[in-house]
Amino acid sequence: MFRRAFWFTTGAAAGVWATTKVQRKLRSLAPDALAVRAADKAVKGGHRLKDFALDVRAGMAQRESELNDALGLDTPPPDQGPGLPTQARRPQLGSAHHRQGPDRPNDRNEDH
């Protein structure tokens, strides 16, 4: 009698466990659950990509600083003061940039 009760209880417990396991698996494979998991993975991937980009940017700044120090570009020349003069930094582009003439025969920037 006790044997039958033991095996009956064991079988019932195994059935409940298996049913619960199957129900959890079915819920995890539902479209809503899959969408939530995919969105979470996309967000985590975005965070990893952002962290990577920040690490690359920091490494670039550090390497640029090292190169500037090695080449002596951080210290301005003694006769120019701090930085380069404005004209040396960027050429001035005015109306002469768009003109046609013998010195620029292939310029196609014509105003019509």
Side-chain angles (χ1 to χ4, degrees), residues 36-109:
V36 168
R37 267 200 324 237
D40 287 343
K41 286 185 179 186
V43 168
K44 287 179 185 177
H47 288 303
R48 282 195 308 260
L49 186 61
K50 179 182 174 188
D51 291 341
F52 174 73
L54 291 174
D55 288 345
V56 167
R57 188 174 285 180
M60 286 173 39
Q62 179 183 359
R63 182 63 179 152
E64 183 178 4
S65 173
E66 291 171 1
L67 290 173
N68 285 339
D69 289 343
L71 296 174
L73 296 177
D74 282 344
T75 58
D79 60 336
Q80 288 187 356
L84 296 173
T86 306
Q87 293 167 347
R89 274 189 257 154
R90 184 180 70 185
Q92 297 295 322
L93 300 177
S95 59
H97 177 69
H98 294 288
R99 73 167 192 221
Q100 288 282 332
D103 58 332
R104 300 179 73 169
N106 295 325
D107 191 3
R108 299 288 179 174
N109 293 330

Side-chain angles (χ1 to χ4, degrees), residues 19-31 33:
T19 303
T20 304
K21 190 91 166 160
V22 167
Q23 289 297 322
R24 284 185 187 161
K25 191 63 169 178
L26 286 175
R27 269 183 281 184
S28 73
L29 294 175

